[in-house]
Amino acid sequence: MSDYLYIDSADAAAALAADWAGLERLAVDTEFVRERTYRAQLCLLQISDGERIACVDTLALGGPGPFATLLQDPDILKIFHSARQDLEVLHDNLGTVPGPVWDTQVAAAMLGHPDQVGYAPLVGAELNVTLPKDHARTDWSRRPLSSEQLRYAAADVQWLLPLADRLAESLRQLGREDWAAEESAVLCDPALYVFDDERAWRRVKGATRLEPPALARLAALAAWREHEARDRDRPRRWILKDEDLVALAAANPASRAALASDTQLPPAALRRVGDVLLEVLRQAGDAEAPALKIQPRLEPDQERLVKRLLGRLREISAAEKISAPLVATRRDIEALVRGRRDLALLRGWRAALAGKELLGLLERSPG
C-alpha cells in the first residue's frame, strides 16, 4: 500500500464511505491550520483501512461529509497517533468526539518509548520505515495541494495499522492491553474539548501575578475576549494579547484618556473596542475574584518525601519499561504528599503498577 485516493467530490466521498461502513477499525489523521481562526480549520482528513488510503479534501467537501458517520460509529475503532489535537479539531467539526479511539503514542509510552514520542521516530523504531518530513510546515489550507504534499499526508496513516498491531502484540505479551484501551478512552471525554468563557482567565499568561481585585477584572476581560474571538472566528491574540489583558486589569482605567495613557493598547484596538473594555472593567468592579489554588511551598520533610517517591517511581518505570511521566508527574507526587487521594495515580493500572506502593511508602514514612 503506497498510493492514495484524493477525495474532493461528494460522489466519491459517499462511495468510499459506503465501502468502509461496517469495518472494525480505521486509521485516522488530520491536517489543519489554526493561525488565522479561533477554531482550527480542518483542511484534510486522512483515513486508511489497511489497503486503501483516502486523503479527503474537507475544504472542497465543506467538512468531513459522509466520513462523519464512520468517525462517530461506536463499532469502528479509530486508530490515531497523538490523538488529542486531532480529536479537538474533529470535535469542533462534528459537534462530538469521534470514538472509540486507540492512541499509538499512549501505547508506545507503555512499552518504554518517551511519553511524547513522535510518529516518524516510532514508525522508524518499530517498523524500520523512514517517513518523509519535507512538508511538516505546509499551509494545508492552500489549494491546489501537490502530489508530494498528499503523499506526505498519506504516509501519516499508511503505517498506523501495522504500527498499532505491533504495539498491541507487545502490550499483550506484557498483560497491558487493557491499560492502553483505558488510557485511550480518557481522550473521548467531551469536557477536554469544551472551553468555558468564565474560566478563560486560567489560560492568560501572567494571571497569577495579579491581586484579587485585578484578577476579577482579568477574569471579566478574558471572558469577553473568548466570546469575541469565538464570534469573530479569530485567534484570541488578534482580539487582544495576554499582556494587554493583564495591563488593563492592573491599571483599571476609568476613561478613554486613562485607557490611552495607562496602557499600551494599539490605536486600532482603542478605536474599535475602547468603550467596550471600559464597560467590561466597570461591570467587573464589584465582582468576586476567582479562587487561585496556589499551594504553599513544601516543607523540607515533604520535599524529601517527594524526591524519595520520584526516585522509586523512576525505578519501577525503568524495571517495567514504561515512561515514568505517563504513570505520574512531579505535580502528581507533590499532590500525593500533600494529602490528595483523588489522583489518577491511585486508580486503575497506575495504582496496580506503582500507586499503591508509593502510597504505602508515604504512609510508612515517619511524621
Side-chain angles (χ1 to χ4, degrees):
M1 180 182 63
S2 60
D3 211 351
Y4 59 87
L5 303 170
Y6 179 55
I7 306 295
D8 63 348
S9 72
D11 288 346
L16 185 58
D19 281 352
W20 281 346
L23 292 182
E24 292 185 358
R25 63 178 187 168
L26 290 168
V28 184
D29 189 39
T30 66
E31 304 296 349
F32 55 88
V33 295
R34 63 167 78 243
E35 287 76 15
R36 299 181 296 274
T37 55
Y38 174 76
R39 294 184 178 87
Q41 182 183 23
L42 178 62
C43 301
L44 200 68
L45 176 64
Q46 304 101 282
I47 308 179
S48 173
D49 64 354
E51 295 182 359
R52 290 175 290 180
I53 300 171
C55 291
V56 181
D57 191 337
T58 51
L59 296 184
L61 295 179
F67 297 100
T69 302
L70 299 179
L71 293 171
Q72 296 173 85
D73 189 329
D75 294 323
I76 300 178
L77 181 65
K78 274 67 72 172
I79 309 295
F80 288 86
H81 181 83
S82 188
R84 181 72 180 262
Q85 282 193 319
D86 296 308
L87 293 177
E88 178 185 336
V89 174
L90 290 170
H91 170 271
D92 288 346
N93 280 267
L94 302 172
T96 186
V97 182
V101 305
W102 201 85
D103 192 330
T104 55
Q105 188 180 72
V106 168
M110 293 177 172
L111 295 168
H113 291 280
D115 60 312
Q116 299 295 320
V117 64
Y119 178 62
L122 184 59
V123 169
E126 292 288 338
L127 303 178
N128 196 28
V129 171
T130 301
L131 296 181
K133 297 302 290 181
D134 305 11
H135 299 283
R137 297 189 180 277
T138 285
D139 180 352
W140 294 100
S141 67
R142 297 185 65 180
R143 294 295 183 271
L145 294 170
S146 69
S147 58
E148 290 80 9
Q149 289 171 318
L150 290 168
R151 287 194 183 94
Y152 168 85
D156 281 345
V157 291
Q158 179 179 356
W159 301 102
L160 254 180
L161 296 184
L163 176 63
D165 289 339
R166 175 70 66 89
L167 297 174
E169 179 57 31
S170 298
L171 288 168
R172 193 175 299 115
Q173 292 175 6
L174 294 172
R176 297 178 185 176
E177 205 172 8
D178 290 344
W179 296 10
E182 178 185 329
E183 202 66 15
S184 293
V186 173
L187 295 168
C188 293
D189 181 358
L192 294 174
Y193 312 106
V194 176
F195 298 103
D196 181 0
D197 290 1
E198 302 308 312
R199 297 168 65 86
W201 65 271
R202 293 178 178 273
R203 296 197 301 275
V204 176
K205 187 176 181 180
T208 56
R209 297 198 301 267
L210 297 175
E211 295 297 322
L215 188 59
R217 295 190 289 270
L218 178 68
L221 289 166
W224 165 82
R225 182 181 70 170
E226 196 75 17
H227 185 273
E228 185 82 357
R230 184 170 55 248
D231 279 2
R232 295 177 57 197
D233 195 24
R234 292 291 181 265
R236 297 174 185 88
R237 68 182 183 280
W238 284 22
I239 307 302
L240 277 183
K241 296 178 181 177
D242 280 6
E243 53 264 37
D244 293 329
L245 290 184
V246 172
L248 276 167
N252 193 25
S255 67
R256 272 275 190 172
L259 188 63
S261 62
D262 295 348
T263 69
Q264 295 184 344
L265 290 181
L270 287 171
R271 291 192 300 271
R272 182 172 55 82
V273 295
D275 290 337
V276 175
L277 293 173
L278 290 172
E279 180 61 18
V280 171
L281 289 168
R282 186 190 67 77
Q283 292 186 13
D286 297 326
E288 183 177 345
L292 276 177
K293 295 181 180 179
I294 300 177
Q295 295 283 3
R297 291 177 64 88
L298 291 169
E299 298 292 334
D301 286 348
Q302 290 178 313
E303 187 63 51
R304 283 191 287 272
L305 276 173
V306 168
K307 290 181 179 178
R308 182 184 176 194
L309 295 181
L310 281 171
R312 181 58 188 144
L313 172 62
R314 286 191 288 268
E315 291 173 355
I316 294 171
S317 300
E320 297 292 337
K321 296 183 179 178
I322 188 169
S323 171
L326 180 66
V327 182
T329 64
R330 180 184 177 90
R331 180 176 294 182
D332 295 328
I333 299 299
E334 288 182 357
L336 185 69
V337 169
R338 291 181 190 275
R340 287 269 305 276
R341 296 296 180 264
D342 57 337
L343 301 169
L345 175 61
L346 300 180
R347 298 192 299 271
W349 65 269
R350 288 182 174 88
L353 181 73
K356 291 180 180 178
E357 179 178 339
L358 295 179
L359 181 60
L361 286 174
L362 176 62
E363 292 176 342
R364 292 193 297 273
S365 299

